[in-house]
Amino acid sequence: MNTGTDRVKRGMAEMQKGGVIMDVVNAEQAKIAEEAGAVAVMALERVPSDIRAAGGVARMADPRIVEEVMNAVTIPVMAKARIGHIVEARVLEAMGVDYLDESEVLTPADEEFHLLKSEFTVPFVCGCRDLGEAARRIGEGASMLRTKGEPGTGNIVEAVRHIRKVNAQVRKLVHMNDDEIMTEAKLLGAPFEVLLQIKKEGRLPVVNFAAGGVATPADAALMMELGADGVFVGSGIFKSDNPAKFARAIVEATTHYQDYKLIAELSKELGEPMKGLEISKIAPESRMQERGW
Amino acid sequence: MTKIGVLGLQGAVREHVRSIEENGAEAVVVKWPEQLEDIDGLILPGGESTTMRRLIDRYGFMEPLRQFGESGRPMFGTCAGLILLASDIVGYDEPHLGLMNIKVERNSFGRQKESFEADLSIKDVAENYNAVFIRAPHIVSAGEGTEVLAECDGRIVAARDRHYLGCSFHPELTDDHRIARYFIDMANEAKASLAKA
């Protein structure tokens, strides 16, 4: 029996496809998420919009919170480690967390190196804004990708930009001649072998979810329409007026993302969604998507 | 041509579609109950069983799925799909569809870091089969008339009860499409005998 193989790690993410992964900060929220049909929960100390508001250094959650969430639900539990923080990642792995997010939402521990994720038994998800970044993370062993978007803003514009960019670059790559790929690798700063594999298979070798700014059922459906395999919702759910109803609506809109009448029904009287942030009002150095490389 | 549906509410739908097509059958992604009418067999894919159950209830799939099974058309559940099919689930008062005469236990090999690949022998399918287990359930006991097809480490991981087939691993995640072949053959046989009846 072999544990921690690429197939087992990537396969875990395949099982999440078409689903919604929700940020939760305690057992009670985790249960609401599971009841609403979330495919997994992300256990955090604070949701991204609160991290943004609090400022200072954001770190791995208190293991007590992670443990509490793991005990509360039977669906998989994810948790975030700081970029490059080997020990936070190992601690979460040792606790039995099902999936780790090497996340720009937390303050990076290393501004130069990301984790060598292939060394871990637990699978990782990482953020990306373009194909170069996606391929570098796959090269390091990420088993799942997500758009970075701009976390905690409730503004979908950056996630849209990122998924369109990655997918356009994949399409371009697939139509290239083999002798053009090394130069593309150089231009993107991407590992050659990963690009070759993407060209051969016609798509990314791991699933790519949407994250960073999903605030409404229509936002979730938009990201599915643009080719996301599933959706992460951070601050959107538990910052809304009626989290249970909101969570169910996001799940259904993700499943039936092209059923516009249904989405209209789901979107009725959901109450106030989280208050959004205009990206240009965030100083470039405060944008979480700029963290990592 | 044989038409095999894949319940498309959530999970590894695309991969099952691929392995059906690799075997020369037609695949249909089933998102609404009406679509069950014109298919010869149905695969319940891997994914999150709690999520699928919520969506099954929401879209009125429960009775149509039970009727589909009771009409004699074959159903194949993989991982989460196996849990949906089972007549008994350890720790739960009620099953989901409850069609297949087996008792299953969820997440019985542990959390994700204990997920694994192993070589199996599957009766009537393959002597050497590389199976991928992800937060997998296992079949605690097979009811009367249920045939055990494969075991791993002393635990039942594949079984057949009449026209119901189930396994706790993910055949759709590898390029070995022999189990899909076996299921398509089941669907063909059922189609022929239902046509005669």
Side-chain angles (χ1 to χ4, degrees):
Chain A
M1 292 208 267
N2 293 317
T3 55
T5 62
D6 272 352
R7 201 168 249 161
V8 162
K9 292 188 334 189
R10 291 176 180 184
M12 162 76 203
E14 301 283 350
M15 295 310 136
Q16 305 266 295
K17 273 189 310 207
V20 181
I21 299 168
M22 302 180 190
D23 279 2
V24 298
V25 300
N26 56 40
E28 185 199 351
Q29 291 187 353
K31 284 183 179 146
I32 291 171
E34 182 175 48
E35 189 57 37
V39 288
V41 289
M42 175 78 71
L44 289 166
E45 200 153 320
R46 282 194 285 259
V47 297
S49 60
D50 288 342
I51 290 175
R52 194 177 279 287
V57 175
R59 312 179 179 88
M60 167 183 88
D62 181 336
R64 270 289 290 279
I65 293 173
V66 179
E67 207 170 68
E68 180 187 317
V69 169
M70 285 168 66
N71 292 334
V73 293
T74 61
I75 54 176
V77 175
M78 301 188 171
K80 290 184 195 291
R82 280 182 269 177
I83 291 172
H85 204 307
I86 302 163
V87 173
E88 282 188 353
R90 286 293 184 193
V91 166
L92 293 167
E93 180 183 52
M95 289 178 65
V97 168
D98 295 298
Y99 230 101
L100 297 194
D101 185 356
E102 185 183 21
S103 180
E104 68 280 3
V105 168
L106 305 181
T107 311
D110 193 322
E111 293 187 331
E112 198 171 356
F113 303 110
H114 282 256
L115 295 166
L116 186 58
K117 292 160 280 285
S118 55
E119 296 284 295
F120 288 72
T121 306
V122 69
F124 277 85
V125 55
C126 287
C128 62
R129 289 165 298 177
D130 56 38
L131 182 58
E133 200 169 13
R136 289 191 292 276
R137 297 295 86 80
I138 294 168
E140 292 156 355
S143 308
M144 179 182 192
L145 296 169
R146 53 172 176 74
T147 58
K148 282 183 160 174
E150 188 54 41
T153 59
N155 188 340
I156 199 68
V157 66
E158 295 300 304
V160 167
R161 190 192 320 281
H162 299 161
I163 196 127
R164 279 203 183 267
K165 182 86 181 274
V166 170
N167 289 342
Q169 287 174 315
V170 168
R171 283 195 299 273
K172 179 179 167 216
L173 179 70
V174 168
H175 291 101
M176 279 183 168
N177 291 328
D178 283 352
D179 60 5
E180 295 167 345
I181 292 179
M182 185 58 89
T183 299
E184 187 70 0
K186 178 188 163 203
L187 294 172
L188 293 173
F192 175 68
E193 289 73 18
V194 174
L195 294 191
L196 267 188
Q197 193 192 358
I198 294 169
K199 174 172 160 51
K200 196 169 138 235
E201 291 178 18
R203 60 181 182 86
L204 292 170
V206 299
V207 301
N208 189 15
F209 270 47
V214 177
T216 66
D219 285 348
L222 170 65
M223 294 308 293
M224 295 299 287
E225 179 75 45
L226 293 176
D229 290 308
V231 178
F232 281 89
V233 187
S235 320
I237 292 169
F238 291 100
K239 287 286 162 193
S240 71
D241 284 347
N242 185 345
K245 191 175 173 194
F246 203 88
R248 281 198 303 272
I250 296 252
V251 168
E252 287 191 51
T254 303
T255 308
H256 291 292
Y257 63 92
Q258 287 178 319
D259 189 330
Y260 308 117
K261 279 187 183 156
L262 177 77
I263 296 169
E265 283 305 310
L266 296 172
S267 306
K268 282 180 187 163
E269 294 170 2
L270 274 183
E272 193 68 22
M274 68 178 286
K275 196 165 161 26
L277 262 177
E278 169 63 44
I279 305 298
S280 61
K281 300 282 191 294
I282 309 168
E285 63 275 15
S286 301
R287 292 179 196 166
M288 291 173 175
Q289 61 175 289
E290 301 297 333
R291 295 166 167 178
W293 57 277
Chain B
M1 199 184 342
T2 317
K3 268 194 197 170
I4 305 290
V6 181
L7 187 64
L9 296 175
Q10 189 270 317
V13 177
R14 180 174 71 204
E15 290 73 11
H16 274 297
V17 166
R18 185 185 60 134
S19 60
I20 293 163
E21 289 173 348
E22 289 282 329
N23 279 297
E26 186 182 340
V28 180
V29 175
V30 175
K31 286 208 160 199
W32 299 104
E34 305 82 75
Q35 293 173 280
L36 293 170
E37 282 163 26
D38 60 330
I39 54 173
D40 305 309
L42 178 69
I43 295 177
L44 306 172
E48 283 306 318
S49 61
T50 43
T51 305
M52 282 190 224
R53 175 58 196 270
R54 297 282 171 275
L55 295 168
I56 282 172
D57 289 346
R58 179 89 52 187
Y59 300 114
F61 258 110
M62 205 57 174
E63 271 318 300
L65 284 172
R66 285 196 178 123
Q67 281 165 14
F68 183 90
E70 282 156 9
S71 73
R73 285 175 288 172
M75 294 172 88
F76 176 24
T78 64
C79 195
L82 173 80
I83 296 166
L84 294 178
L85 276 183
S87 58
D88 208 343
I89 307 168
V90 174
Y92 291 76
D93 296 333
E94 295 278 324
H96 299 294
L97 296 169
L99 292 166
M100 184 175 176
N101 196 4
I102 48 169
K103 183 179 197 169
V104 297
E105 182 172 6
R106 294 183 61 202
N107 299 338
S108 63
F109 293 89
R111 300 195 74 96
Q112 171 58 19
K113 64 177 177 173
E114 278 91 38
S115 293
F116 62 98
E117 291 183 53
D119 288 326
L120 304 179
S121 163
I122 307 171
K123 188 171 179 291
D124 300 332
V125 177
E127 288 290 307
N128 56 331
Y129 185 91
N130 179 40
V132 185
F133 292 82
I134 295 172
R135 287 170 45 95
H138 90 284
I139 300 171
V140 180
S141 59
E144 206 179 319
T146 300
E147 186 178 18
V148 173
L149 301 181
E151 292 190 15
C152 179
D153 235 12
R155 294 175 182 198
I156 305 169
V157 295
R160 177 175 175 176
D161 166 25
R162 296 160 292 156
H163 56 292
Y164 302 117
L165 180 67
C167 64
S168 63
F169 50 89
H170 292 282
E172 73 278 14
L173 288 184
T174 67
D175 295 324
D176 186 335
H177 304 299
R178 287 178 287 181
I179 298 186
R181 176 77 263 158
Y182 180 88
F183 180 67
I184 293 163
D185 290 343
M186 278 172 66
N188 282 331
E189 283 160 28
K191 193 179 180 181
S193 69
L194 289 171
K196 260 187 250 167

